[in-house]
Protein backbone atom coordinates (compact mmCIF):
# COMPACT_ATOMS: atom_id res chain seq x y z
CA UNK A 1 0.00 0.00 0.00
CA UNK A 2 1.39 3.39 -1.00
CA UNK A 3 1.12 5.59 2.10
CA UNK A 4 3.04 7.32 4.84
CA UNK A 5 2.73 5.91 8.35
CA UNK A 6 2.68 7.46 11.80
CA UNK A 7 1.87 5.44 14.93
CA UNK A 8 -0.17 7.65 17.29
CA UNK A 9 -1.05 5.13 20.00
CA UNK A 10 -0.70 1.47 20.88
CA UNK A 11 -3.78 0.45 18.83
CA UNK A 12 -4.29 3.26 16.33
CA UNK A 13 -2.21 3.79 13.21
CA UNK A 14 -2.42 6.98 11.13
CA UNK A 15 -1.73 6.80 7.42
CA UNK A 16 -1.96 9.11 4.44
CA UNK A 17 -3.07 7.48 1.23
CA UNK A 18 -4.24 8.56 -2.23
CA UNK A 19 -7.94 9.35 -2.46
CA UNK A 20 -8.52 6.77 -5.21
CA UNK A 21 -6.91 4.10 -3.04
CA UNK A 22 -9.21 4.96 -0.13
CA UNK A 23 -12.13 4.85 -2.56
CA UNK A 24 -11.45 1.19 -3.33
CA UNK A 25 -11.50 0.04 0.32
CA UNK A 26 -14.39 -2.24 1.34
CA UNK A 27 -17.60 -0.60 2.55
CA UNK A 28 -19.54 -2.71 5.10
CA UNK A 29 -23.31 -2.22 5.48
CA UNK A 30 -22.89 -0.04 8.57
CA UNK A 31 -20.68 2.39 6.59
CA UNK A 32 -23.85 4.33 5.72
CA UNK A 33 -24.60 4.94 9.42
CA UNK A 34 -21.31 6.54 10.38
CA UNK A 35 -22.03 10.16 9.40
CA UNK A 36 -24.79 12.11 11.07
CA UNK A 37 -23.97 15.62 9.84
CA UNK A 38 -26.07 17.26 7.14
CA UNK A 39 -24.36 17.79 3.79
CA UNK A 40 -24.16 21.55 4.36
CA UNK A 41 -21.92 20.85 7.39
CA UNK A 42 -19.08 19.64 5.16
CA UNK A 43 -19.53 22.49 2.67
CA UNK A 44 -19.09 24.97 5.52
CA UNK A 45 -15.99 23.13 6.78
CA UNK A 46 -14.52 23.27 3.28
CA UNK A 47 -14.91 27.06 3.21
CA UNK A 48 -12.52 27.40 6.17
CA UNK A 49 -9.05 26.64 4.78
CA UNK A 50 -7.33 25.75 8.10
CA UNK A 51 -9.93 22.99 8.61
CA UNK A 52 -8.94 21.16 5.43
CA UNK A 53 -7.07 18.40 7.34
CA UNK A 54 -10.23 17.71 9.36
CA UNK A 55 -12.31 17.50 6.18
CA UNK A 56 -9.91 14.94 4.76
CA UNK A 57 -9.67 12.84 7.94
CA UNK A 58 -11.36 9.43 7.88
CA UNK A 59 -11.33 6.25 9.93
CA UNK A 60 -10.74 2.66 8.87
CA UNK A 61 -11.14 -0.68 10.60
CA UNK A 62 -8.53 -3.38 10.09
CA UNK A 63 -9.91 -6.85 10.80
CA UNK A 64 -7.47 -9.53 11.94
CA UNK A 65 -4.53 -7.47 10.72
CA UNK A 66 -5.21 -7.53 6.97
CA UNK A 67 -8.78 -6.70 5.94
CA UNK A 68 -9.49 -2.97 5.69
CA UNK A 69 -13.03 -1.51 5.86
CA UNK A 70 -14.26 2.06 5.82
CA UNK A 71 -15.76 3.21 9.13
CA UNK A 72 -16.84 6.72 8.17
CA UNK A 73 -16.69 9.23 5.32
CA UNK A 74 -19.70 8.06 3.32
CA UNK A 75 -21.37 11.45 3.21
CA UNK A 76 -18.16 13.16 2.15
CA UNK A 77 -17.60 10.45 -0.43
CA UNK A 78 -20.93 11.33 -2.04
CA UNK A 79 -20.12 15.04 -1.93
CA UNK A 80 -16.65 14.47 -3.37
CA UNK A 81 -18.08 12.36 -6.18
CA UNK A 82 -20.81 14.87 -7.00
CA UNK A 83 -18.41 17.81 -6.98
CA UNK A 84 -20.27 19.57 -4.17
CA UNK A 85 -16.94 19.75 -2.34
CA UNK A 86 -13.52 19.49 -3.97
CA UNK A 87 -12.10 15.99 -4.15
CA UNK A 88 -8.79 15.73 -2.24
CA UNK A 89 -5.58 14.30 -3.59
CA UNK A 90 -5.09 12.30 -0.40
CA UNK A 91 -6.96 11.45 2.82
CA UNK A 92 -5.57 10.85 6.28
CA UNK A 93 -6.94 7.72 7.88
CA UNK A 94 -6.76 6.47 11.44
CA UNK A 95 -6.77 2.68 11.43
CA UNK A 96 -8.31 0.77 14.34
CA UNK A 97 -7.41 -2.88 14.73
CA UNK A 98 -10.21 -5.26 15.76
CA UNK A 99 -10.65 -9.00 15.88
CA UNK A 100 -13.14 -10.82 13.67
CA UNK A 101 -15.40 -11.37 16.69
CA UNK A 102 -15.33 -7.66 17.56
CA UNK A 103 -16.06 -6.74 13.95
CA UNK A 104 -19.02 -9.14 13.82
CA UNK A 105 -20.40 -7.74 17.08
CA UNK A 106 -20.10 -4.16 15.79
CA UNK A 107 -21.75 -5.05 12.51
CA UNK A 108 -24.69 -6.82 14.18
CA UNK A 109 -25.32 -4.12 16.78
CA UNK A 110 -25.21 -1.31 14.23
CA UNK A 111 -27.40 -3.32 11.85
CA UNK A 112 -29.99 -3.89 14.59
CA UNK A 113 -29.94 -0.19 15.45
CA UNK A 114 -30.51 0.69 11.82
CA UNK A 115 -33.47 -1.69 11.53
CA UNK A 116 -35.13 -0.20 14.61
CA UNK A 117 -35.15 3.23 12.97
CA UNK A 118 -36.45 2.15 9.57
CA UNK A 119 -40.08 2.65 8.45
CA UNK A 120 -41.84 -0.72 7.94
CA UNK A 121 -41.46 -0.83 4.15
CA UNK A 122 -37.75 0.02 4.33
CA UNK A 123 -37.29 -2.71 6.94
CA UNK A 124 -38.87 -5.13 4.46
CA UNK A 125 -36.52 -3.97 1.69
CA UNK A 126 -33.51 -4.34 4.01
CA UNK A 127 -34.70 -7.85 4.85
CA UNK A 128 -35.02 -8.72 1.15
CA UNK A 129 -31.39 -7.70 0.68
CA UNK A 130 -30.20 -9.68 3.69
CA UNK A 131 -32.04 -12.80 2.52
CA UNK A 132 -30.81 -12.42 -1.06
CA UNK A 133 -34.30 -11.79 -2.46
CA UNK A 134 -34.51 -9.62 -5.56
CA UNK A 135 -38.14 -8.93 -6.46
CA UNK A 136 -39.00 -7.20 -9.72
CA UNK A 137 -42.76 -6.63 -9.39
CA UNK A 138 -43.84 -3.19 -8.23
CA UNK A 139 -46.26 -4.77 -5.74
CA UNK A 140 -43.48 -6.50 -3.81
CA UNK A 141 -40.25 -4.61 -4.45
CA UNK A 142 -41.51 -1.43 -2.76
CA UNK A 143 -41.73 -3.28 0.56
CA UNK A 144 -45.34 -2.51 1.46
CA UNK A 145 -46.23 -6.02 2.64
CA UNK A 146 -46.14 -5.78 6.44
CA UNK A 147 -49.92 -5.85 6.89
CA UNK A 148 -50.30 -8.63 4.32
CA UNK A 149 -47.84 -10.70 6.36
CA UNK A 150 -49.81 -9.97 9.54
CA UNK A 151 -53.05 -11.14 7.92
CA UNK A 152 -51.41 -14.19 6.34
CA UNK A 153 -49.88 -15.31 9.64
CA UNK A 154 -52.29 -13.91 12.26
CA UNK A 155 -55.54 -13.52 10.32
CA UNK A 156 -55.82 -9.75 10.83
CA UNK A 157 -53.81 -6.52 10.68
CA UNK A 158 -51.65 -5.63 13.66
CA UNK A 159 -54.10 -2.94 14.85
CA UNK A 160 -56.85 -5.56 15.26
CA UNK A 161 -54.75 -8.13 17.11
CA UNK A 162 -55.30 -8.76 20.81
CA UNK A 163 -52.03 -7.66 22.40
CA UNK A 164 -53.11 -9.23 25.71
CA UNK A 165 -53.09 -12.74 24.27
CA UNK A 166 -50.07 -15.02 24.24
CA UNK A 167 -50.35 -15.57 20.49
CA UNK A 168 -50.63 -11.91 19.51
CA UNK A 169 -48.74 -10.07 22.24
CA UNK A 170 -45.50 -9.93 20.29
CA UNK A 171 -45.25 -8.17 16.96
CA UNK A 172 -44.44 -10.35 13.99
CA UNK A 173 -40.72 -10.70 13.31
CA UNK A 174 -40.65 -9.39 9.75
CA UNK A 175 -37.37 -11.06 8.85
CA UNK A 176 -38.61 -14.46 10.05
CA UNK A 177 -41.95 -13.96 8.30
CA UNK A 178 -40.34 -13.14 4.96
CA UNK A 179 -37.89 -16.01 5.35
CA UNK A 180 -40.77 -18.42 6.06
CA UNK A 181 -42.76 -17.24 3.03
CA UNK A 182 -39.92 -16.49 0.62
CA UNK A 183 -40.90 -19.31 -1.76
CA UNK A 184 -44.47 -18.00 -2.01
CA UNK A 185 -43.30 -14.40 -2.38
CA UNK A 186 -40.87 -15.42 -5.12
CA UNK A 187 -43.56 -17.38 -6.97
CA UNK A 188 -46.01 -14.48 -6.79
CA UNK A 189 -43.35 -11.97 -7.82
CA UNK A 190 -42.77 -13.99 -10.99
CA UNK A 191 -46.33 -13.05 -12.03
CA UNK A 192 -45.43 -9.34 -12.02
CA UNK A 193 -48.34 -8.58 -9.70
CA UNK A 194 -50.51 -5.56 -10.44
CA UNK A 195 -50.70 -3.36 -7.31
CA UNK A 196 -54.27 -2.26 -8.09
CA UNK A 197 -55.43 -5.90 -7.95
CA UNK A 198 -53.21 -7.35 -5.25
CA UNK A 199 -54.40 -5.18 -2.41
CA UNK A 200 -53.25 -6.11 1.09
CA UNK A 201 -56.06 -8.61 1.71
CA UNK A 202 -55.68 -10.23 -1.71
CA UNK A 203 -51.91 -10.57 -1.29
CA UNK A 204 -52.40 -12.07 2.17
CA UNK A 205 -54.81 -14.64 0.76
CA UNK A 206 -52.39 -15.42 -2.07
CA UNK A 207 -49.65 -16.17 0.46
CA UNK A 208 -52.00 -18.39 2.48
CA UNK A 209 -53.36 -20.32 -0.49
CA UNK A 210 -50.08 -20.81 -2.39
CA UNK A 211 -48.41 -21.99 0.83
CA UNK A 212 -51.18 -24.56 1.28
CA UNK A 213 -51.22 -25.59 -2.39
CA UNK A 214 -48.65 -24.28 -4.91
CA UNK A 215 -51.03 -25.19 -7.75
CA UNK A 216 -53.28 -22.29 -6.75
CA UNK A 217 -50.64 -19.96 -8.21
CA UNK A 218 -52.48 -20.45 -11.52
CA UNK A 219 -55.58 -18.79 -10.04
CA UNK A 220 -53.55 -15.72 -9.13
CA UNK A 221 -51.91 -15.67 -12.56
CA UNK A 222 -55.38 -15.52 -14.15
CA UNK A 223 -56.48 -12.86 -11.68
CA UNK A 224 -53.42 -10.76 -12.50
CA UNK A 225 -54.02 -11.02 -16.25
CA UNK A 226 -57.76 -10.38 -15.97
CA UNK A 227 -58.68 -13.81 -17.35
CA UNK A 228 -62.05 -14.02 -15.60
CA UNK A 229 -64.95 -15.50 -17.56
CA UNK A 230 -68.69 -14.83 -17.76
CA UNK A 231 -70.99 -17.65 -18.90
CA UNK A 232 -73.85 -17.31 -21.37
CA UNK A 233 -76.36 -16.94 -18.55
CA UNK A 234 -74.34 -14.17 -16.89
CA UNK A 235 -72.66 -16.27 -14.20
CA UNK A 236 -69.11 -15.46 -13.12
CA UNK A 237 -66.25 -17.88 -12.77
CA UNK A 238 -64.26 -17.47 -9.49
CA UNK A 239 -61.67 -15.19 -11.09
CA UNK A 240 -64.28 -12.83 -12.51
CA UNK A 241 -66.25 -12.95 -9.26
CA UNK A 242 -63.17 -11.80 -7.34
CA UNK A 243 -62.35 -9.09 -9.89
CA UNK A 244 -65.89 -7.77 -9.40
CA UNK A 245 -65.42 -7.76 -5.62
CA UNK A 246 -62.09 -5.91 -5.84
CA UNK A 247 -63.66 -3.30 -8.11
CA UNK A 248 -66.63 -2.88 -5.76
CA UNK A 249 -64.37 -1.97 -2.83
CA UNK A 250 -63.11 1.10 -4.67
CA UNK A 251 -66.33 2.91 -3.79
CA UNK A 252 -66.91 1.49 -0.31
CA UNK A 253 -66.33 3.72 2.69
CA UNK A 254 -65.29 1.24 5.35
CA UNK A 255 -62.21 1.10 7.61
CA UNK A 256 -59.10 -0.15 5.80
CA UNK A 257 -58.44 -2.94 8.30
CA UNK A 258 -61.95 -4.35 7.93
CA UNK A 259 -61.79 -4.06 4.14
CA UNK A 260 -58.52 -5.99 3.89
CA UNK A 261 -59.78 -8.77 6.16
CA UNK A 262 -62.93 -9.08 4.02
CA UNK A 263 -60.86 -9.09 0.83
CA UNK A 264 -58.68 -11.87 2.24
CA UNK A 265 -61.72 -13.97 3.14
CA UNK A 266 -63.38 -13.43 -0.24
CA UNK A 267 -60.16 -14.18 -2.11
CA UNK A 268 -59.80 -17.43 -0.20
CA UNK A 269 -63.42 -18.26 -1.05
CA UNK A 270 -62.78 -17.59 -4.75
CA UNK A 271 -59.81 -19.97 -4.76
CA UNK A 272 -61.87 -22.64 -2.98
CA UNK A 273 -64.53 -22.38 -5.71
CA UNK A 274 -61.88 -22.44 -8.41
CA UNK A 275 -60.48 -25.66 -6.94
CA UNK A 276 -63.83 -27.38 -7.60
CA UNK A 277 -63.22 -27.08 -11.36
CA UNK A 278 -65.32 -25.59 -14.15
CA UNK A 279 -67.61 -28.64 -14.33
CA UNK A 280 -68.77 -28.20 -10.75
CA UNK A 281 -72.06 -26.34 -10.10
CA UNK A 282 -70.18 -24.52 -7.31
CA UNK A 283 -67.73 -23.01 -9.80
CA UNK A 284 -70.11 -20.48 -11.39
CA UNK A 285 -72.02 -17.85 -9.44
CA UNK A 286 -74.21 -14.80 -9.91
CA UNK A 287 -73.87 -13.79 -6.27
CA UNK A 288 -71.14 -11.80 -4.58
CA UNK A 289 -68.47 -13.89 -2.89
CA UNK A 290 -68.84 -14.73 0.78
CA UNK A 291 -66.05 -14.37 3.32
CA UNK A 292 -64.43 -17.75 3.96
CA UNK A 293 -62.98 -18.75 7.32
CA UNK A 294 -59.27 -18.87 6.56
CA UNK A 295 -57.96 -19.49 10.08
CA UNK A 296 -57.71 -23.27 9.52
CA UNK A 297 -55.62 -22.57 6.42
CA UNK A 298 -53.31 -20.29 8.42
CA UNK A 299 -52.85 -23.06 10.96
CA UNK A 300 -52.01 -25.48 8.15
CA UNK A 301 -49.59 -22.95 6.65
CA UNK A 302 -47.78 -22.73 9.98
CA UNK A 303 -47.68 -26.50 10.25
CA UNK A 304 -46.23 -26.81 6.74
CA UNK A 305 -43.60 -24.17 7.51
CA UNK A 306 -42.90 -25.64 10.97
CA UNK A 307 -43.56 -22.26 12.61
CA UNK A 308 -46.72 -23.16 14.52
CA UNK A 309 -45.03 -22.73 17.89
CA UNK A 310 -43.38 -19.39 17.11
CA UNK A 311 -44.80 -16.58 19.22
CA UNK A 312 -43.37 -13.91 16.92
CA UNK A 313 -45.04 -15.27 13.77
Amino acid sequence: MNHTKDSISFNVERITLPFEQWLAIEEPLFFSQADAAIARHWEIIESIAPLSPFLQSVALIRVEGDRLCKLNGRQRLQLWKSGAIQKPETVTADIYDVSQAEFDKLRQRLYNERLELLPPHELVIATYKELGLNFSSERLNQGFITEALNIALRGKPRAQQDKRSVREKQEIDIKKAIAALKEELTALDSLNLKPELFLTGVLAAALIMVANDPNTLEFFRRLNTLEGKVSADGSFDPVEALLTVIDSYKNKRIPQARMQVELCGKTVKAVMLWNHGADSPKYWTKNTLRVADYQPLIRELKRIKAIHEARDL
Side-chain angles (χ1 to χ4, degrees), residues 95-279:
I95 301 178
Y96 299 85
D97 285 293
V98 299
S99 67
Q100 184 65 53
E102 289 168 328
F103 179 76
D104 291 342
K105 181 179 179 180
L106 173 69
R107 180 172 53 189
Q108 189 60 52
R109 290 186 66 178
L110 289 174
Y111 178 73
N112 291 343
E113 178 189 39
R114 177 171 176 262
L115 293 187
E116 289 174 3
L117 298 174
L118 289 178
H121 72 284
E122 290 187 17
L123 171 58
V124 169
I125 293 171
T127 300
Y128 288 165
K129 185 173 182 180
E130 186 176 355
L131 295 175
L133 300 173
N134 185 24
F135 296 137
S136 58
S137 69
E138 182 184 351
R139 179 60 184 92
L140 296 184
N141 67 19
Q142 301 297 310
F144 295 100
I145 67 168
T146 302
E147 288 293 42
L149 292 172
N150 270 276
I151 297 173
L153 294 171
R154 296 264 177 94
K156 47 195 169 184
R158 180 58 180 163
Q160 290 189 339
Q161 293 169 27
D162 184 356
K163 299 172 183 63
R164 299 167 299 178
S165 71
V166 174
R167 280 285 180 187
E168 299 177 357
K169 183 177 182 179
Q170 284 184 256
E171 290 197 16
I172 281 177
D173 184 313
I174 295 300
K175 179 180 175 181
K176 288 173 66 175
I178 293 172
L181 293 169
K182 65 180 181 180
E183 292 179 6
E184 290 72 23
L185 287 165
T186 300
L188 290 165
D189 182 69
S190 71
L191 302 180
N192 193 25
L193 305 182
K194 293 182 174 68
E196 65 272 20
L197 294 177
F198 282 80
L199 305 175
T200 294
V202 178
L203 179 59
L207 291 170
I208 294 169
M209 300 309 285
V210 175
N212 275 269
D213 180 4
N215 291 324
T216 59
L217 185 68
E218 174 61 17
F219 173 89
F220 295 104
R221 185 196 68 77
R222 296 188 187 189
L223 179 71
N224 194 56
T225 52
L226 306 177
E227 292 183 37
K229 296 180 181 179
V230 182
S231 67
D233 68 351
S235 297
F236 296 159
D237 78 345
V239 174
E240 188 64 28
L242 182 56
L243 287 169
T244 301
V245 165
I246 294 171
D247 188 62
S248 72
Y249 274 98
K250 294 177 182 177
N251 299 317
K252 285 189 177 182
R253 293 187 177 182
I254 62 174
Q256 271 292 317
R258 175 186 158 194
M259 182 178 84
Q260 300 308 337
V261 168
E262 288 183 6
L263 272 173
C264 182
K266 292 186 177 186
T267 302
V268 168
K269 183 65 175 180
V271 178
M272 288 176 167
L273 295 175
W274 185 77
N275 283 338
H276 285 295
D279 294 333

